[in-house]
Amino acid sequence: MSGEKPKRATLPPVQENIDKLEKAINVGNFYGAQQMYKSISARYVSAQRYSEALDLLHSGACLQLKHGQVTCGAELAVLFVETLVKGKIPFDEDILDRVRKIYKMFPQIPVPSNLGDDDDVQELTEALGAAKTRVEGCSSFLRAAIKWSAEFGAPRNGDPQLHVMLAEYIYSESPELDMARVSYHFVRGNNPKKFASTLVNFMGKCYPGEDDIVIARAVLMYLSMGNLRDANYLMDELKRQVTSQELDFPQSDLVQFITFLLQTLERDALPLFNMLRVNYKSSIDREPAFIELLDDIGEKFYGVRRRNPLQGMFGDLLKMM
């Protein structure tokens, strides 16, 4: 009996596995293929053959999503990003294109409307559940990609194009739309014109009297990041698009405050900034998040140090005592 250790099985060229698993998916064996994608890619990663693991996971994510298998596809998409991290793959346009290709494979399906009988209600319930699954899957993938990009060569907040992709998908697919979340990613993106179009579209759907809050939040989010240029561009573009569509731009004290704020931040005018906050307090208080955003703006543009919330609380307690 030989005392030699058995040789480790060598991994075949990755294209062989890609072709084999593609056949499994094409005949509908989605779950079986999914387990194979995970186990085979893990072997390539263990052998530090990251490029081949990425090829396999990219192919699997796109194929599963193409066949409407959102949960499977999203899981492989996240594994694709995790492999980028394990392999310490630097951010570049080639990888960004591969991420974009996976993103474009996520289904975009309008939620049905004009429902009547019980069958239609059942259809709506299923459609809403499917939409939630799509948004959660795509969000997990793109959030992971944003984090990877920030760590491996993109700007500190992550690649702006990835933020725009995520903002667009949340807006188009979310059954319960959170515009604060959409705005969060748009202001970290690089397409204020598209952001303006999205806001104008939403203004036609939101509750009456809330369109000014949507505009103010978007502008204040830009300013809280110190981005006065895009904040001004957004306001100008919103007015242009509203006019071209023969709509009414909201006129309110809150919009007036935002207009004056943009002018104030063009110069060194801390007293005027503070005066605006006092004079328009009732409008600012309509949205609790505005106070924190304005504190960020004061710090970014005028170096105003933010008060520690605990200090404020203890100070108030001492006054009461």
XYZ file of all heavy atoms in Angstrom, residues 164-239:
608
model
N -26.736 56.123 -7.887
C -27.838 56.468 -8.798
C -28.630 55.223 -9.169
O -29.866 55.238 -9.211
C -27.305 57.190 -10.063
C -28.423 57.378 -11.086
C -26.713 58.545 -9.699
N -27.924 54.116 -9.451
C -28.618 52.860 -9.765
C -29.559 52.469 -8.631
O -30.726 52.106 -8.872
C -27.599 51.732 -9.974
C -26.776 51.813 -11.233
S -25.609 50.392 -11.275
C -24.243 51.121 -12.178
N -29.062 52.535 -7.408
C -29.870 52.124 -6.260
C -31.057 53.065 -6.071
O -32.183 52.605 -5.819
C -29.005 52.086 -5.002
C -29.680 51.598 -3.714
C -30.450 50.305 -3.933
C -28.653 51.426 -2.607
N -30.829 54.367 -6.210
C -31.926 55.331 -6.070
C -33.022 55.072 -7.105
O -34.215 55.074 -6.787
C -31.387 56.753 -6.223
N -32.608 54.816 -8.341
C -33.579 54.559 -9.413
C -34.395 53.304 -9.145
O -35.613 53.280 -9.357
C -32.848 54.419 -10.753
C -32.345 55.717 -11.335
C -31.748 55.502 -12.721
O -30.764 54.740 -12.840
O -32.269 56.086 -13.679
N -33.713 52.242 -8.696
C -34.423 50.974 -8.502
C -35.403 51.073 -7.337
O -36.537 50.595 -7.423
C -33.448 49.825 -8.279
C -34.093 48.476 -8.551
C -34.229 48.022 -9.856
C -34.592 47.687 -7.525
C -34.839 46.799 -10.132
C -35.200 46.467 -7.789
C -35.330 46.034 -9.101
O -35.952 44.827 -9.370
N -34.976 51.700 -6.252
C -35.878 51.877 -5.108
C -37.107 52.672 -5.537
O -38.246 52.329 -5.186
C -35.162 52.592 -3.946
C -34.042 51.719 -3.380
C -36.146 52.951 -2.838
C -33.141 52.446 -2.392
N -36.875 53.745 -6.315
C -38.004 54.587 -6.720
C -38.959 53.852 -7.652
O -40.184 53.960 -7.525
C -37.505 55.857 -7.410
C -38.648 56.793 -7.759
C -39.259 57.550 -6.775
C -39.143 56.887 -9.063
C -40.329 58.384 -7.062
C -40.208 57.712 -9.359
C -40.799 58.459 -8.360
O -41.867 59.275 -8.658
N -38.425 53.091 -8.594
C -39.286 52.459 -9.603
C -39.981 51.208 -9.083
O -41.059 50.854 -9.557
C -38.477 52.115 -10.857
O -37.529 51.094 -10.581
N -39.384 50.535 -8.088
C -39.901 49.223 -7.690
C -40.515 49.153 -6.295
O -41.243 48.206 -6.002
C -38.768 48.187 -7.773
C -38.230 47.966 -9.170
C -39.311 47.484 -10.141
O -39.966 46.476 -9.866
O -39.496 48.156 -11.171
N -40.215 50.096 -5.412
C -40.689 49.982 -4.022
C -42.202 50.083 -3.928
O -42.789 51.062 -4.400
C -40.069 51.079 -3.146
O -38.705 50.852 -2.952
N -42.851 49.102 -3.289
C -44.308 49.190 -3.095
C -44.669 50.247 -2.059
O -45.749 50.831 -2.107
C -44.693 47.786 -2.614
C -43.446 47.187 -2.076
C -42.306 47.819 -2.807
N -43.779 50.495 -1.105
C -43.975 51.554 -0.112
C -42.791 52.501 -0.251
O -41.734 52.301 0.344
C -44.051 50.959 1.300
C -45.242 50.018 1.493
C -45.209 49.344 2.847
O -44.262 49.584 3.615
O -46.139 48.566 3.131
N -42.996 53.560 -1.025
C -41.883 54.415 -1.421
C -41.404 55.303 -0.280
O -42.187 55.980 0.370
C -42.300 55.276 -2.616
C -41.198 56.085 -3.289
C -40.051 55.177 -3.723
C -41.759 56.825 -4.486
N -40.103 55.282 -0.046
C -39.452 56.111 0.965
C -38.564 57.113 0.224
O -37.441 56.806 -0.156
C -38.630 55.220 1.903
C -37.925 56.017 2.997
O -38.002 57.253 2.980
O -37.282 55.379 3.861
N -39.091 58.331 0.031
C -38.343 59.320 -0.752
C -37.090 59.804 -0.036
O -36.144 60.255 -0.675
C -39.244 60.504 -1.108
C -40.097 60.289 -2.336
S -39.166 59.787 -3.818
C -38.225 61.266 -4.179
N -37.082 59.720 1.295
C -35.861 60.103 2.024
C -34.718 59.163 1.642
O -33.574 59.591 1.452
C -36.112 60.070 3.528
N -35.044 57.885 1.509
C -34.034 56.888 1.129
C -33.594 57.096 -0.322
O -32.406 57.012 -0.645
C -34.622 55.490 1.310
C -33.630 54.354 1.209
C -34.315 53.035 1.544
N -33.553 51.889 1.081
C -34.070 50.741 0.726
N -35.382 50.577 0.766
N -33.312 49.742 0.336
N -34.549 57.363 -1.191
C -34.220 57.645 -2.593
C -33.304 58.866 -2.680
O -32.279 58.856 -3.380
C -35.511 57.885 -3.409
C -35.183 58.366 -4.820
C -36.350 56.606 -3.478
N -33.664 59.921 -1.947
C -32.876 61.160 -1.976
C -31.473 60.937 -1.415
O -30.493 61.494 -1.931
C -33.594 62.255 -1.176
O -34.856 62.543 -1.741
N -31.374 60.121 -0.362
C -30.074 59.828 0.252
C -29.086 59.334 -0.807
O -27.911 59.757 -0.826
C -30.257 58.769 1.346
C -28.963 58.275 1.951
C -28.411 58.906 3.065
C -28.280 57.186 1.400
C -27.222 58.452 3.621
C -27.086 56.732 1.953
C -26.559 57.371 3.061
O -25.378 56.926 3.590
N -29.538 58.433 -1.675
C -28.621 57.883 -2.675
C -28.428 58.829 -3.864
O -27.317 58.908 -4.409
C -29.121 56.518 -3.133
C -28.973 55.465 -2.067
N -27.743 54.984 -1.669
C -29.896 54.826 -1.295
C -27.900 54.094 -0.708
N -29.196 53.968 -0.461
N -29.477 59.560 -4.251
C -29.302 60.504 -5.363
C -28.281 61.581 -5.030
O -27.481 61.967 -5.892
C -30.637 61.143 -5.751
C -31.309 60.489 -6.924
C -32.606 60.005 -6.812
C -30.673 60.353 -8.147
C -33.248 59.400 -7.894
C -31.298 59.752 -9.240
C -32.585 59.280 -9.099
N -28.295 62.097 -3.786
C -27.359 63.182 -3.457
C -25.925 62.679 -3.371
O -24.981 63.475 -3.417
C -27.740 63.915 -2.148
C -29.115 64.538 -2.255
C -27.653 62.998 -0.945
N -25.746 61.371 -3.260
C -24.410 60.792 -3.286
C -24.059 60.307 -4.694
O -22.997 59.729 -4.906
C -24.313 59.637 -2.272
C -24.237 60.139 -0.839
C -24.641 59.108 0.191
N -24.493 59.639 1.543
C -25.344 60.507 2.106
N -26.405 60.925 1.436
N -25.122 60.966 3.333
N -24.955 60.549 -5.621
C -24.755 60.183 -7.014
C -24.171 61.328 -7.803
O -23.685 62.314 -7.261
N -24.247 61.199 -9.113
C -23.632 62.205 -9.994
C -24.596 62.643 -11.094
O -24.160 63.029 -12.173
C -22.349 61.641 -10.612
C -22.601 60.361 -11.410
O -23.717 59.841 -11.413
N -21.574 59.869 -12.093
N -25.911 62.569 -10.798
C -26.878 62.913 -11.836
C -28.036 63.732 -11.258
O -29.161 63.242 -11.145
C -27.407 61.628 -12.492
C -28.033 61.888 -13.850
O -28.563 62.971 -14.088
N -27.995 60.909 -14.730
N -27.767 65.003 -10.889
C -28.840 65.835 -10.323
C -29.991 66.082 -11.301
O -31.118 66.320 -10.865
C -28.130 67.140 -9.945
C -26.859 67.142 -10.724
C -26.475 65.707 -10.913
N -29.716 66.006 -12.603
C -30.792 66.186 -13.585
C -31.800 65.043 -13.480
O -33.024 65.270 -13.503
C -30.210 66.252 -14.995
C -31.250 66.558 -16.064
C -30.600 66.795 -17.419
C -31.654 67.199 -18.455
N -31.022 67.499 -19.767
N -31.312 63.821 -13.373
C -32.200 62.664 -13.222
C -32.928 62.742 -11.878
O -34.098 62.364 -11.764
C -31.391 61.377 -13.318
C -32.236 60.106 -13.320
C -31.394 58.872 -13.647
C -31.032 58.822 -15.113
N -30.308 57.580 -15.492
N -32.236 63.218 -10.853
C -32.850 63.401 -9.538
C -34.013 64.380 -9.654
O -35.102 64.149 -9.109
C -31.792 63.903 -8.558
C -32.240 63.970 -7.123
C -33.372 63.299 -6.676
C -31.500 64.705 -6.201
C -33.772 63.353 -5.342
C -31.881 64.759 -4.865
C -33.024 64.090 -4.445
N -33.807 65.471 -10.388
C -34.871 66.459 -10.568
C -36.078 65.839 -11.266
O -37.228 66.056 -10.860
C -34.351 67.653 -11.368
N -35.827 65.034 -12.296
C -36.935 64.372 -13.009
C -37.717 63.449 -12.076
O -38.948 63.390 -12.122
C -36.392 63.554 -14.190
O -35.717 64.374 -15.103
N -36.987 62.728 -11.229
C -37.637 61.829 -10.270
C -38.491 62.618 -9.286
O -39.616 62.213 -8.963
C -36.564 61.013 -9.515
O -35.769 60.294 -10.458
C -37.211 60.037 -8.549
N -37.968 63.748 -8.810
C -38.723 64.567 -7.857
C -39.982 65.146 -8.494
O -41.057 65.159 -7.869
C -37.840 65.699 -7.323
C -36.707 65.286 -6.386
C -35.828 66.492 -6.045
C -37.254 64.669 -5.102
N -39.866 65.607 -9.732
C -41.043 66.147 -10.424
C -42.094 65.061 -10.599
O -43.299 65.290 -10.403
C -40.648 66.752 -11.791
C -41.894 67.124 -12.603
C -39.773 67.993 -11.592
N -41.643 63.862 -10.952
C -42.569 62.740 -11.084
C -43.261 62.441 -9.753
O -44.477 62.224 -9.699
C -41.806 61.505 -11.570
C -42.697 60.292 -11.763
O -42.957 59.550 -10.815
N -43.176 60.078 -12.966
N -42.489 62.460 -8.672
C -43.054 62.154 -7.354
C -44.007 63.260 -6.887
O -45.005 62.969 -6.211
C -41.934 61.970 -6.332
C -42.444 61.626 -4.959
C -42.951 60.362 -4.681
C -42.433 62.565 -3.942
C -43.438 60.038 -3.421
C -42.914 62.258 -2.681
C -43.412 60.986 -2.419
N -43.707 64.503 -7.231
C -44.558 65.613 -6.812
C -45.984 65.457 -7.330
O -46.939 65.948 -6.734
C -43.957 66.945 -7.266
C -42.757 67.389 -6.411
S -41.653 68.571 -7.239
C -42.777 69.904 -7.621
N -46.122 64.743 -8.445
C -47.458 64.493 -8.979
C -48.188 63.374 -8.257
O -49.384 63.161 -8.486
N -47.467 62.643 -7.380
C -48.069 61.510 -6.675
C -48.231 61.735 -5.181
O -49.015 61.044 -4.536
C -47.186 60.255 -6.861
C -46.945 59.837 -8.294
C -45.959 58.674 -8.328
C -45.645 58.246 -9.749
N -44.631 57.161 -9.778
N -47.442 62.658 -4.608
C -47.438 62.803 -3.155
C -48.707 63.503 -2.673
O -49.489 64.040 -3.459
C -46.191 63.552 -2.686
S -46.104 65.272 -3.216
N -48.898 63.503 -1.365
C -50.069 64.144 -0.782
C -50.017 65.648 -1.035
O -48.938 66.247 -1.035
C -50.134 63.886 0.719
C -50.426 62.449 1.079
C -49.453 61.668 1.700
C -51.652 61.875 0.789
C -49.704 60.344 2.030
C -51.909 60.550 1.114
C -50.934 59.790 1.726
O -51.189 58.479 2.038
N -51.174 66.282 -1.257
C -51.187 67.738 -1.479
C -50.525 68.476 -0.317
O -50.733 68.139 0.846
C -52.694 68.060 -1.541
C -53.351 66.768 -1.937
C -52.516 65.684 -1.337
N -49.700 69.451 -0.658
C -49.048 70.252 0.369
C -47.748 69.683 0.889
O -47.110 70.277 1.757
N -47.322 68.523 0.351
C -46.071 67.927 0.813
C -44.951 68.018 -0.227
O -43.838 67.582 0.036
C -46.287 66.462 1.203
C -47.104 66.289 2.467
C -47.029 64.883 3.038
O -46.392 64.024 2.396
O -47.599 64.659 4.117
N -45.280 68.579 -1.402
C -44.257 68.653 -2.444
C -43.108 69.578 -2.045
O -41.959 69.351 -2.423
C -44.857 69.079 -3.792
C -45.825 70.244 -3.660
O -45.984 70.776 -2.552
O -46.426 70.628 -4.687
N -43.401 70.607 -1.232
C -42.316 71.500 -0.812
C -41.355 70.803 0.152
O -40.154 71.072 0.150
C -42.870 72.788 -0.198
C -43.756 72.544 1.021
O -44.188 71.393 1.234
O -44.036 73.513 1.757
N -41.873 69.862 0.955
C -41.003 69.097 1.859
C -40.034 68.230 1.061
O -38.851 68.109 1.404
C -41.847 68.227 2.821
C -42.566 69.122 3.827
C -40.978 67.211 3.546
C -43.422 68.377 4.827
N -40.538 67.635 -0.017
C -39.694 66.781 -0.873
C -38.550 67.601 -1.466
O -37.387 67.160 -1.490
C -40.541 66.148 -1.990
C -39.671 65.356 -2.954
C -41.615 65.231 -1.396
N -38.857 68.792 -1.940
C -37.837 69.666 -2.538
C -36.836 70.113 -1.473
O -35.613 70.046 -1.679
C -38.503 70.895 -3.191
C -39.330 70.461 -4.401
C -37.462 71.933 -3.594
C -40.208 71.557 -4.976
N -37.361 70.558 -0.336
C -36.480 71.055 0.722
C -35.539 69.966 1.218
O -34.341 70.209 1.429
C -37.320 71.598 1.887
N -36.068 68.755 1.387
C -35.218 67.657 1.859
C -34.067 67.404 0.892
O -32.912 67.223 1.310
C -36.039 66.380 2.032
C -35.214 65.222 2.586
C -35.912 63.882 2.430
N -37.119 63.796 3.214
C -38.338 63.609 2.726
N -38.511 63.490 1.412
N -39.388 63.524 3.502
N -34.381 67.384 -0.405
C -33.347 67.115 -1.406
C -32.253 68.177 -1.364
O -31.055 67.861 -1.367
C -33.988 67.059 -2.796
N -32.652 69.450 -1.318
C -31.673 70.540 -1.303
C -30.844 70.504 -0.022
O -29.610 70.636 -0.051
C -32.388 71.906 -1.450
C -31.401 73.051 -1.233
C -33.034 72.023 -2.825
N -31.499 70.303 1.118
C -30.777 70.285 2.395
C -29.813 69.101 2.476
O -28.737 69.212 3.070
C -31.774 70.234 3.557
C -32.600 71.506 3.789
C -33.623 71.286 4.891
C -31.700 72.696 4.126
N -30.175 67.965 1.870
C -29.267 66.817 1.862
C -27.999 67.137 1.068
O -26.889 66.785 1.494
C -29.971 65.590 1.277
C -30.874 64.877 2.255
S -31.572 63.372 1.510
C -32.173 62.524 2.984
N -28.150 67.790 -0.081
C -26.965 68.213 -0.839
C -26.104 69.152 0.010
O -24.876 69.004 0.103
C -27.385 68.943 -2.115
C -27.556 68.065 -3.333
C -28.717 68.135 -4.102
C -26.559 67.188 -3.743
C -28.882 67.346 -5.241
C -26.715 66.400 -4.875
C -27.871 66.479 -5.616
O -28.016 65.695 -6.732
N -26.753 70.133 0.629
C -26.012 71.133 1.394
C -25.340 70.535 2.620
O -24.257 70.961 3.012
C -26.963 72.263 1.817
C -27.559 73.099 0.673
C -28.577 74.088 1.200
C -26.450 73.822 -0.101
N -25.975 69.517 3.230
C -25.381 68.894 4.421
C -24.075 68.187 4.078
O -23.270 67.901 4.963
C -26.366 67.909 5.053
O -26.511 66.753 4.246
N -23.879 67.896 2.792
C -22.624 67.293 2.333
C -21.657 68.356 1.797
O -20.600 68.037 1.249
C -22.914 66.266 1.238
C -23.775 65.107 1.716
S -24.168 63.961 0.375
C -22.520 63.277 0.065
N -22.051 69.628 1.931
C -21.219 70.716 1.454
C -21.308 70.949 -0.039
O -20.486 71.665 -0.622
N -22.326 70.374 -0.682
C -22.437 70.430 -2.146
C -23.428 71.521 -2.563
O -24.572 71.249 -2.918
C -22.890 69.062 -2.673
C -22.781 68.963 -4.192
O -22.599 69.964 -4.880
N -22.904 67.760 -4.716
N -22.951 72.764 -2.525
C -23.788 73.904 -2.893
C -24.055 73.928 -4.402
O -25.145 74.317 -4.844
C -23.110 75.203 -2.459
C -23.842 76.519 -2.737
C -25.219 76.542 -2.082
C -22.994 77.702 -2.264
N -23.098 73.486 -5.183
C -23.246 73.515 -6.648
C -24.450 72.689 -7.099
O -25.310 73.189 -7.832
C -21.971 72.967 -7.310
C -21.987 72.992 -8.830
C -20.925 72.087 -9.406
N -21.177 70.679 -9.067
C -20.311 69.702 -9.285
N -19.134 69.958 -9.816
N -20.617 68.449 -8.957
N -24.508 71.424 -6.670
C -25.611 70.565 -7.112
C -26.936 70.957 -6.468
O -27.999 70.726 -7.050
C -25.288 69.099 -6.818
C -24.271 68.526 -7.800
O -24.015 69.173 -8.833
O -23.726 67.432 -7.538
N -26.885 71.560 -5.276
C -28.117 72.042 -4.645
C -28.737 73.147 -5.497
O -29.957 73.160 -5.745
C -27.825 72.553 -3.237
N -27.899 74.077 -5.958
C -28.387 75.151 -6.834
C -28.858 74.596 -8.173
O -29.900 75.005 -8.695
C -27.276 76.183 -7.061
C -27.200 77.208 -5.949
O -28.202 77.812 -5.578
N -26.009 77.396 -5.395
N -28.083 73.658 -8.735
C -28.458 73.057 -10.013
C -29.811 72.374 -9.892
O -30.661 72.487 -10.787
C -27.397 72.050 -10.462
C -27.723 71.380 -11.781
C -27.246 71.905 -12.979
C -28.524 70.243 -11.834
C -27.554 71.297 -14.194
C -28.842 69.634 -13.035
C -28.353 70.161 -14.212
O -28.681 69.566 -15.407
N -30.016 71.646 -8.803
C -31.269 70.921 -8.612
C -32.456 71.883 -8.591
O -33.474 71.630 -9.252
C -31.224 70.124 -7.309
C -32.462 69.266 -7.035
C -32.497 68.051 -7.951
C -32.504 68.813 -5.575
N -32.332 72.981 -7.853
C -33.440 73.943 -7.792
C -33.729 74.531 -9.169
O -34.894 74.641 -9.582
C -33.106 75.063 -6.809
C -33.405 74.714 -5.367
S -35.183 74.513 -5.018
C -35.670 76.220 -4.791
N -32.683 74.908 -9.890
C -32.873 75.477 -11.229
C -33.509 74.453 -12.173
O -34.413 74.785 -12.950
C -31.532 75.943 -11.808
C -30.958 77.141 -11.054
O -31.727 77.806 -10.336
O -29.735 77.373 -11.172
N -33.052 73.201 -12.101
C -33.567 72.158 -12.979
C -35.011 71.812 -12.638
O -35.830 71.551 -13.525
C -32.673 70.916 -12.885
C -33.037 69.785 -13.834
C -32.914 70.147 -15.304
O -32.167 71.091 -15.642
O -33.574 69.471 -16.131
N -35.335 71.806 -11.356
C -36.723 71.555 -10.942
C -37.654 72.616 -11.527
O -38.713 72.295 -12.080
C -36.828 71.563 -9.412
C -36.372 70.299 -8.679
C -36.299 70.562 -7.180
C -37.319 69.136 -8.955
N -37.257 73.864 -11.410
C -38.087 74.958 -11.940
C -38.221 74.855 -13.456
O -39.299 75.081 -14.013
C -37.482 76.310 -11.547
C -37.591 76.602 -10.048
C -36.846 77.876 -9.669
C -36.921 78.128 -8.171
N -36.120 79.300 -7.747
